Amino acid sequence: KIIRKGCVMREGKLYFNLIHRAGGYKENFDMLMKQQDLAHENGLKTTVVMSYESMLVDEYVEKAKSYVRAYGDELGLLLNVIDDAYGMLNGNYTFWLLPREQQKYIIDESIRKFKECFGYCPPTLTTYYLDAPTINYIHENYPEVKAVIATCFEEGSRTFRGTNYDCQLFCEGGPWWPWIPSKKNSQCPAFDEEDDAGVVAFPHLTRDMLLTIEDRNDYFACHPQNITRGWAYKDYNWPYMYNFLDMTAIQFKYNDGYSYSNMYADPKWLLPKGRHDDYCVYEIYVDAMKYLGELKKKGYLVDMGMAEFADWYRQNRGTDTPDVVLWKDVLMGSDKQVFWYIDSHMRALCDPVQGGAITDLRPYVSRLDRPVGPESDYLEDGSYPFILNTQVRGGYPAFMQTKSMYTAAVYYKDEVRHLKNYWCNCTYEKTEEGRVAVMDPMEIEFSDMTLTLQTKVIFAGNGEIRFKRNVLNCTKPDAEIEIFEFMNGCWGTTEYPEDMRRIKLTINGETGSESLFVKYTNTSKTLKGAKSVTADMPDMDTLVTLTTDLEEPEGIIFDATLGGPLFSIGLKGKIKNGEEKTTCLKLSKR
């Protein structure tokens, strides 16, 4: 469905990096020249990333220097296997999965060659994934490096299956926009200067923030090849590309005037080789360059080299600055939205379509040490683990017949209504409490009563999410209403369940406590007068705590089953007509 074409911006800017890679083959070089000419014709700066093999060709080196002189373009360096022209060393082309010493050799030799060709250390390094030990090595030995491409946002098992198991990259759970990475885990934004790994990290492409959850993220992104992969076009019309760029740009409204996108287009993906209806992929790229140039002329887009942007980011965003995204469906034109939040303590996904439920949660507060490679316990899996994930954790019987999420239910007499079943639209507020996703009021009908309930999900920083439930109206003002706030939790990085038997669930009460370990027994415990409920998760090094100001709170903990591999913690209490009550989910390091 064609929505519209033409970005509407006023106070904000779209900050943009256009990245071109210099390959070693003649056809790639010819296409790179076309890409560069297109960019410059439309007034756009580029970052030209030199591969090791391209630096062996004098013509490529001289051409790259000419772009710097004539257009102010930047030069960067691709980290890839360097020992043969086909990029295969002992059958392994994946730099990020090589043994640590081979990685160091490639880094050192590639930077040496870059200095030999251009006279200085490359300010930008790119590959597909860089873990914390690799980034720490780079910063320690080459402090001139300012920018690195460190991850492919949300590439994991779905992409692996979709590429016929030909994608050796698992790196879900990280940021969707640039961030300053932690020294302990490159997926986590740094807490502060002490935790700062010394570079600004970038995602490899920016993605459709709704479809990256609903589908494969490599189908819908800023790269023209991704648009053809997802068949998001018809004939020679591709409104999705414009809608995607517009939706990305208007995120400035939620981020203090700032939004970000990039386009990293290797020449080989624009060549007509029969991949994914490639008859139009170059034409999509041409139109993208024209449209981005138009946005720049109108003052909406600021194009920079990657290192230039890294300097801007440190000065204007810095460590522990939250990013949020309120993304609307731009493929089918529906009213569906998703709300994302990220800071140094967590990454969370809030789903208005499910009543404001938290459907994906990554506890960065724990800074799990998860390097990749043959010496690592995690091998190829660089994803930061989740403790909530509706997409890949369900099963029956699961508690309240609900997938892995944080949500609530409303009780009246012997009837129950689940908020996850109510489709809401969402607006955004920034208040003293934090970044707030405001759900439209829900009309909740019971057999002899109707109430209007509004939810506000407040991302307060410091590992806290607060859920405010406000009973705006009730057709029976004196009705006894209860709200049950609960979390169906787990942990993992793929759709395959992990062993949860070290997890301890506890209800802390005024006069005592109740607890159980996850044993997959389908048993539960309750305690009236609960002050908090907790899930102690040793494998995640994370403590999850729920507290509430609901009246007469009762704590509930529920063991998992193997058929429904989710533990549950919850608090149930009373609320009156006209009242607003708050429940807080707190993430902390054990």
Side-chain angles (χ1 to χ4, degrees), residues 224-236 238 269-284:
Q225 183 70 41
N226 293 53
I227 294 173
T228 59
R229 281 172 174 155
W231 291 355
Y233 65 98
K234 184 177 181 181
D235 300 324
Y236 280 87
W238 29 84
W269 294 114
L270 303 179
L271 295 168
K273 289 187 175 179
R275 299 187 193 94
H276 311 291
D277 287 352
D278 274 338
Y279 72 85
C280 64
V281 68
Y282 180 72
E283 285 77 4
I284 295 175

mmCIF file of all heavy atoms in Angstrom, residues 224-236 238 269-284:
data_model
loop_
_atom_site.group_PDB
_atom_site.id
_atom_site.type_symbol
_atom_site.label_atom_id
_atom_site.label_comp_id
_atom_site.label_asym_id
_atom_site.label_seq_id
_atom_site.Cartn_x
_atom_site.Cartn_y
_atom_site.Cartn_z
ATOM 1 N N PRO A 224 19.044 -1.419 -0.770
ATOM 2 C CA PRO A 224 18.139 -1.801 -1.866
ATOM 3 C C PRO A 224 18.005 -3.306 -2.049
ATOM 4 O O PRO A 224 16.940 -3.800 -2.408
ATOM 5 C CB PRO A 224 18.787 -1.149 -3.093
ATOM 6 C CG PRO A 224 19.549 0.000 -2.548
ATOM 7 C CD PRO A 224 20.049 -0.438 -1.209
ATOM 8 N N GLN A 225 19.092 -4.044 -1.818
ATOM 9 C CA GLN A 225 19.021 -5.493 -1.951
ATOM 10 C C GLN A 225 18.011 -6.099 -0.980
ATOM 11 O O GLN A 225 17.328 -7.062 -1.285
ATOM 12 C CB GLN A 225 20.392 -6.108 -1.704
ATOM 13 C CG GLN A 225 20.448 -7.614 -1.898
ATOM 14 C CD GLN A 225 20.312 -8.018 -3.349
ATOM 15 O OE1 GLN A 225 20.876 -7.377 -4.217
ATOM 16 N NE2 GLN A 225 19.561 -9.078 -3.619
ATOM 17 N N ASN A 226 17.901 -5.489 0.217
ATOM 18 C CA ASN A 226 16.944 -6.005 1.195
ATOM 19 C C ASN A 226 15.512 -5.789 0.731
ATOM 20 O O ASN A 226 14.621 -6.598 1.023
ATOM 21 C CB ASN A 226 17.172 -5.345 2.552
ATOM 22 C CG ASN A 226 18.493 -5.748 3.163
ATOM 23 O OD1 ASN A 226 19.536 -5.619 2.529
ATOM 24 N ND2 ASN A 226 18.468 -6.252 4.371
ATOM 25 N N ILE A 227 15.267 -4.700 0.025
ATOM 26 C CA ILE A 227 13.913 -4.442 -0.484
ATOM 27 C C ILE A 227 13.541 -5.482 -1.525
ATOM 28 O O ILE A 227 12.402 -5.973 -1.557
ATOM 29 C CB ILE A 227 13.837 -3.012 -1.064
ATOM 30 C CG1 ILE A 227 14.029 -1.990 0.070
ATOM 31 C CG2 ILE A 227 12.508 -2.777 -1.778
ATOM 32 C CD1 ILE A 227 14.151 -0.562 -0.409
ATOM 33 N N THR A 228 14.494 -5.870 -2.376
ATOM 34 C CA THR A 228 14.169 -6.901 -3.365
ATOM 35 C C THR A 228 14.079 -8.276 -2.720
ATOM 36 O O THR A 228 13.288 -9.112 -3.149
ATOM 37 C CB THR A 228 15.202 -6.915 -4.512
ATOM 38 O OG1 THR A 228 16.516 -7.152 -3.990
ATOM 39 C CG2 THR A 228 15.187 -5.595 -5.253
ATOM 40 N N ARG A 229 14.868 -8.521 -1.675
ATOM 41 C CA ARG A 229 14.746 -9.789 -0.959
ATOM 42 C C ARG A 229 13.329 -9.972 -0.416
ATOM 43 O O ARG A 229 12.761 -11.056 -0.450
ATOM 44 C CB ARG A 229 15.730 -9.839 0.209
ATOM 45 C CG ARG A 229 17.156 -10.175 -0.167
ATOM 46 C CD ARG A 229 18.047 -10.001 1.054
ATOM 47 N NE ARG A 229 19.403 -10.451 0.791
ATOM 48 C CZ ARG A 229 20.454 -10.004 1.453
ATOM 49 N NH1 ARG A 229 20.325 -9.108 2.399
ATOM 50 N NH2 ARG A 229 21.661 -10.461 1.180
ATOM 51 N N GLY A 230 12.782 -8.889 0.125
ATOM 52 C CA GLY A 230 11.446 -8.958 0.712
ATOM 53 C C GLY A 230 10.334 -8.721 -0.283
ATOM 54 O O GLY A 230 9.158 -8.719 0.108
ATOM 55 N N TRP A 231 10.682 -8.524 -1.549
ATOM 56 C CA TRP A 231 9.699 -8.245 -2.603
ATOM 57 C C TRP A 231 8.799 -7.063 -2.211
ATOM 58 O O TRP A 231 7.589 -7.084 -2.427
ATOM 59 C CB TRP A 231 8.842 -9.490 -2.912
ATOM 60 C CG TRP A 231 9.611 -10.586 -3.574
ATOM 61 C CD1 TRP A 231 10.905 -10.537 -3.998
ATOM 62 C CD2 TRP A 231 9.145 -11.901 -3.891
ATOM 63 N NE1 TRP A 231 11.286 -11.724 -4.559
ATOM 64 C CE2 TRP A 231 10.229 -12.593 -4.509
ATOM 65 C CE3 TRP A 231 7.939 -12.554 -3.717
ATOM 66 C CZ2 TRP A 231 10.112 -13.906 -4.947
ATOM 67 C CZ3 TRP A 231 7.836 -13.873 -4.149
ATOM 68 C CH2 TRP A 231 8.908 -14.535 -4.756
ATOM 69 N N ALA A 232 9.412 -6.047 -1.653
ATOM 70 C CA ALA A 232 8.658 -4.871 -1.206
ATOM 71 C C ALA A 232 8.591 -3.837 -2.326
ATOM 72 O O ALA A 232 8.937 -2.667 -2.150
ATOM 73 C CB ALA A 232 9.309 -4.276 0.040
ATOM 74 N N TYR A 233 8.142 -4.285 -3.471
ATOM 75 C CA TYR A 233 8.022 -3.416 -4.639
ATOM 76 C C TYR A 233 7.106 -4.119 -5.630
ATOM 77 O O TYR A 233 6.798 -5.309 -5.510
ATOM 78 C CB TYR A 233 9.390 -3.151 -5.274
ATOM 79 C CG TYR A 233 10.022 -4.400 -5.845
ATOM 80 C CD1 TYR A 233 9.928 -4.699 -7.204
ATOM 81 C CD2 TYR A 233 10.695 -5.306 -5.022
ATOM 82 C CE1 TYR A 233 10.473 -5.863 -7.718
ATOM 83 C CE2 TYR A 233 11.254 -6.458 -5.532
ATOM 84 C CZ TYR A 233 11.137 -6.729 -6.877
ATOM 85 O OH TYR A 233 11.678 -7.878 -7.383
ATOM 86 N N LYS A 234 6.683 -3.370 -6.636
ATOM 87 C CA LYS A 234 5.905 -3.963 -7.723
ATOM 88 C C LYS A 234 6.294 -3.265 -9.016
ATOM 89 O O LYS A 234 6.267 -2.039 -9.089
ATOM 90 C CB LYS A 234 4.398 -3.812 -7.482
ATOM 91 C CG LYS A 234 3.550 -4.512 -8.547
ATOM 92 C CD LYS A 234 2.070 -4.407 -8.230
ATOM 93 C CE LYS A 234 1.245 -5.142 -9.301
ATOM 94 N NZ LYS A 234 -0.211 -5.042 -9.024
ATOM 95 N N ASP A 235 6.646 -4.056 -10.010
ATOM 96 C CA ASP A 235 7.133 -3.505 -11.275
ATOM 97 C C ASP A 235 8.304 -2.569 -10.974
ATOM 98 O O ASP A 235 9.274 -2.982 -10.373
ATOM 99 C CB ASP A 235 5.997 -2.802 -12.025
ATOM 100 C CG ASP A 235 4.847 -3.743 -12.344
ATOM 101 O OD1 ASP A 235 5.118 -4.920 -12.638
ATOM 102 O OD2 ASP A 235 3.682 -3.302 -12.266
ATOM 103 N N TYR A 236 8.191 -1.313 -11.366
ATOM 104 C CA TYR A 236 9.248 -0.345 -11.064
ATOM 105 C C TYR A 236 8.765 0.701 -10.061
ATOM 106 O O TYR A 236 9.137 1.876 -10.130
ATOM 107 C CB TYR A 236 9.757 0.312 -12.349
ATOM 108 C CG TYR A 236 10.732 -0.559 -13.102
ATOM 109 C CD1 TYR A 236 10.286 -1.499 -14.020
ATOM 110 C CD2 TYR A 236 12.103 -0.479 -12.845
ATOM 111 C CE1 TYR A 236 11.179 -2.329 -14.692
ATOM 112 C CE2 TYR A 236 13.002 -1.303 -13.516
ATOM 113 C CZ TYR A 236 12.537 -2.216 -14.434
ATOM 114 O OH TYR A 236 13.432 -3.037 -15.092
ATOM 115 N N TRP A 238 8.510 1.406 -5.889
ATOM 116 C CA TRP A 238 8.966 0.948 -4.573
ATOM 117 C C TRP A 238 8.702 2.030 -3.527
ATOM 118 O O TRP A 238 9.632 2.607 -2.945
ATOM 119 C CB TRP A 238 10.451 0.574 -4.588
ATOM 120 C CG TRP A 238 11.278 1.327 -5.598
ATOM 121 C CD1 TRP A 238 11.845 2.544 -5.477
ATOM 122 C CD2 TRP A 238 11.622 0.849 -6.912
ATOM 123 N NE1 TRP A 238 12.526 2.888 -6.605
ATOM 124 C CE2 TRP A 238 12.418 1.860 -7.506
ATOM 125 C CE3 TRP A 238 11.362 -0.321 -7.627
ATOM 126 C CZ2 TRP A 238 12.929 1.734 -8.798
ATOM 127 C CZ3 TRP A 238 11.866 -0.446 -8.896
ATOM 128 C CH2 TRP A 238 12.648 0.565 -9.473
ATOM 129 N N TRP A 269 26.276 -6.395 -4.659
ATOM 130 C CA TRP A 269 24.831 -6.547 -4.488
ATOM 131 C C TRP A 269 24.045 -5.744 -5.511
ATOM 132 O O TRP A 269 22.828 -5.915 -5.631
ATOM 133 C CB TRP A 269 24.416 -6.132 -3.081
ATOM 134 C CG TRP A 269 24.949 -7.037 -2.021
ATOM 135 C CD1 TRP A 269 25.861 -6.717 -1.041
ATOM 136 C CD2 TRP A 269 24.630 -8.417 -1.823
ATOM 137 N NE1 TRP A 269 26.124 -7.812 -0.257
ATOM 138 C CE2 TRP A 269 25.377 -8.870 -0.714
ATOM 139 C CE3 TRP A 269 23.787 -9.318 -2.476
ATOM 140 C CZ2 TRP A 269 25.300 -10.172 -0.243
ATOM 141 C CZ3 TRP A 269 23.710 -10.619 -2.010
ATOM 142 C CH2 TRP A 269 24.455 -11.036 -0.911
ATOM 143 N N LEU A 270 24.709 -4.857 -6.232
ATOM 144 C CA LEU A 270 24.025 -4.036 -7.241
ATOM 145 C C LEU A 270 24.256 -4.546 -8.655
ATOM 146 O O LEU A 270 23.732 -3.984 -9.612
ATOM 147 C CB LEU A 270 24.493 -2.578 -7.130
ATOM 148 C CG LEU A 270 24.297 -1.927 -5.754
ATOM 149 C CD1 LEU A 270 24.816 -0.493 -5.774
ATOM 150 C CD2 LEU A 270 22.850 -1.964 -5.316
ATOM 151 N N LEU A 271 25.036 -5.604 -8.760
ATOM 152 C CA LEU A 271 25.310 -6.163 -10.079
ATOM 153 C C LEU A 271 24.181 -7.095 -10.516
ATOM 154 O O LEU A 271 23.588 -7.785 -9.688
ATOM 155 C CB LEU A 271 26.626 -6.943 -10.053
ATOM 156 C CG LEU A 271 27.886 -6.105 -9.794
ATOM 157 C CD1 LEU A 271 29.058 -7.027 -9.514
ATOM 158 C CD2 LEU A 271 28.183 -5.204 -10.981
ATOM 159 N N PRO A 272 23.860 -7.107 -11.805
ATOM 160 C CA PRO A 272 22.764 -7.965 -12.306
ATOM 161 C C PRO A 272 23.186 -9.418 -12.419
ATOM 162 O O PRO A 272 23.634 -9.870 -13.466
ATOM 163 C CB PRO A 272 22.466 -7.355 -13.678
ATOM 164 C CG PRO A 272 23.768 -6.769 -14.109
ATOM 165 C CD PRO A 272 24.447 -6.277 -12.861
ATOM 166 N N LYS A 273 23.022 -10.155 -11.321
ATOM 167 C CA LYS A 273 23.422 -11.564 -11.333
ATOM 168 C C LYS A 273 22.260 -12.489 -11.028
ATOM 169 O O LYS A 273 22.455 -13.643 -10.668
ATOM 170 C CB LYS A 273 24.548 -11.791 -10.321
ATOM 171 C CG LYS A 273 25.874 -11.183 -10.747
ATOM 172 C CD LYS A 273 26.989 -11.595 -9.800
ATOM 173 C CE LYS A 273 28.333 -11.085 -10.317
ATOM 174 N NZ LYS A 273 29.439 -11.448 -9.405
ATOM 175 N N GLY A 274 21.046 -11.991 -11.120
ATOM 176 C CA GLY A 274 19.892 -12.860 -10.955
ATOM 177 C C GLY A 274 19.479 -13.117 -9.532
ATOM 178 O O GLY A 274 18.642 -13.971 -9.271
ATOM 179 N N ARG A 275 20.045 -12.376 -8.558
ATOM 180 C CA ARG A 275 19.636 -12.571 -7.173
ATOM 181 C C ARG A 275 18.377 -11.757 -6.878
ATOM 182 O O ARG A 275 18.341 -10.561 -7.096
ATOM 183 C CB ARG A 275 20.722 -12.111 -6.200
ATOM 184 C CG ARG A 275 22.057 -12.821 -6.297
ATOM 185 C CD ARG A 275 22.930 -12.332 -5.141
ATOM 186 N NE ARG A 275 24.322 -12.704 -5.309
ATOM 187 C CZ ARG A 275 25.223 -11.912 -5.857
ATOM 188 N NH1 ARG A 275 24.877 -10.736 -6.317
ATOM 189 N NH2 ARG A 275 26.470 -12.301 -5.957
ATOM 190 N N HIS A 276 17.365 -12.372 -6.335
ATOM 191 C CA HIS A 276 16.227 -11.668 -5.774
ATOM 192 C C HIS A 276 15.665 -10.611 -6.745
ATOM 193 O O HIS A 276 15.459 -9.449 -6.385
ATOM 194 C CB HIS A 276 16.608 -10.972 -4.462
ATOM 195 C CG HIS A 276 17.336 -11.861 -3.508
ATOM 196 N ND1 HIS A 276 16.742 -12.907 -2.864
ATOM 197 C CD2 HIS A 276 18.639 -11.876 -3.094
ATOM 198 C CE1 HIS A 276 17.618 -13.521 -2.093
ATOM 199 N NE2 HIS A 276 18.773 -12.919 -2.218
ATOM 200 N N ASP A 277 15.395 -10.977 -7.949
ATOM 201 C CA ASP A 277 14.873 -10.028 -8.936
ATOM 202 C C ASP A 277 15.764 -8.802 -9.061
ATOM 203 O O ASP A 277 15.334 -7.653 -8.932
ATOM 204 C CB ASP A 277 13.446 -9.583 -8.553
ATOM 205 C CG ASP A 277 12.442 -10.683 -8.793
ATOM 206 O OD1 ASP A 277 12.829 -11.702 -9.386
ATOM 207 O OD2 ASP A 277 11.286 -10.523 -8.398
ATOM 208 N N ASP A 278 17.031 -9.033 -9.328
ATOM 209 C CA ASP A 278 17.987 -7.930 -9.372
ATOM 210 C C ASP A 278 17.803 -7.014 -10.576
ATOM 211 O O ASP A 278 18.577 -6.087 -10.752
ATOM 212 C CB ASP A 278 19.416 -8.483 -9.384
ATOM 213 C CG ASP A 278 19.927 -8.739 -7.984
ATOM 214 O OD1 ASP A 278 19.379 -8.113 -7.067
ATOM 215 O OD2 ASP A 278 20.852 -9.544 -7.819
ATOM 216 N N TYR A 279 16.792 -7.252 -11.378
ATOM 217 C CA TYR A 279 16.597 -6.363 -12.522
ATOM 218 C C TYR A 279 16.355 -4.929 -12.083
ATOM 219 O O TYR A 279 16.544 -3.990 -12.865
ATOM 220 C CB TYR A 279 15.417 -6.838 -13.391
ATOM 221 C CG TYR A 279 14.054 -6.639 -12.778
ATOM 222 C CD1 TYR A 279 13.380 -5.430 -12.898
ATOM 223 C CD2 TYR A 279 13.427 -7.665 -12.075
ATOM 224 C CE1 TYR A 279 12.127 -5.239 -12.339
ATOM 225 C CE2 TYR A 279 12.175 -7.488 -11.527
ATOM 226 C CZ TYR A 279 11.522 -6.267 -11.656
ATOM 227 O OH TYR A 279 10.278 -6.084 -11.101
ATOM 228 N N CYS A 280 15.922 -4.723 -10.829
ATOM 229 C CA CYS A 280 15.615 -3.358 -10.410
ATOM 230 C C CYS A 280 16.425 -2.882 -9.220
ATOM 231 O O CYS A 280 16.237 -1.749 -8.769
ATOM 232 C CB CYS A 280 14.128 -3.220 -10.087
ATOM 233 S SG CYS A 280 13.588 -4.229 -8.693
ATOM 234 N N VAL A 281 17.343 -3.696 -8.688
ATOM 235 C CA VAL A 281 18.010 -3.295 -7.457
ATOM 236 C C VAL A 281 18.881 -2.058 -7.673
ATOM 237 O O VAL A 281 18.950 -1.182 -6.805
ATOM 238 C CB VAL A 281 18.826 -4.463 -6.866
ATOM 239 C CG1 VAL A 281 20.017 -4.826 -7.728
ATOM 240 C CG2 VAL A 281 19.267 -4.131 -5.448
ATOM 241 N N TYR A 282 19.526 -1.944 -8.820
ATOM 242 C CA TYR A 282 20.329 -0.747 -9.079
ATOM 243 C C TYR A 282 19.436 0.476 -9.230
ATOM 244 O O TYR A 282 19.769 1.570 -8.748
ATOM 245 C CB TYR A 282 21.183 -0.941 -10.334
ATOM 246 C CG TYR A 282 22.031 0.266 -10.661
ATOM 247 C CD1 TYR A 282 23.134 0.594 -9.882
ATOM 248 C CD2 TYR A 282 21.725 1.081 -11.755
ATOM 249 C CE1 TYR A 282 23.912 1.707 -10.176
ATOM 250 C CE2 TYR A 282 22.501 2.200 -12.053
ATOM 251 C CZ TYR A 282 23.586 2.504 -11.266
ATOM 252 O OH TYR A 282 24.349 3.610 -11.553
ATOM 253 N N GLU A 283 18.273 0.307 -9.863
ATOM 254 C CA GLU A 283 17.346 1.427 -10.023
ATOM 255 C C GLU A 283 16.832 1.917 -8.667
ATOM 256 O O GLU A 283 16.645 3.122 -8.455
ATOM 257 C CB GLU A 283 16.174 1.025 -10.924
ATOM 258 C CG GLU A 283 16.521 0.935 -12.411
ATOM 259 C CD GLU A 283 17.273 -0.337 -12.768
ATOM 260 O OE1 GLU A 283 17.472 -1.196 -11.876
ATOM 261 O OE2 GLU A 283 17.678 -0.471 -13.945
ATOM 262 N N ILE A 284 16.598 0.984 -7.747
ATOM 263 C CA ILE A 284 16.195 1.382 -6.393
ATOM 264 C C ILE A 284 17.303 2.210 -5.741
ATOM 265 O O ILE A 284 17.043 3.228 -5.096
ATOM 266 C CB ILE A 284 15.867 0.144 -5.535
ATOM 267 C CG1 ILE A 284 14.645 -0.585 -6.098
ATOM 268 C CG2 ILE A 284 15.622 0.533 -4.082
ATOM 269 C CD1 ILE A 284 14.329 -1.889 -5.390
#
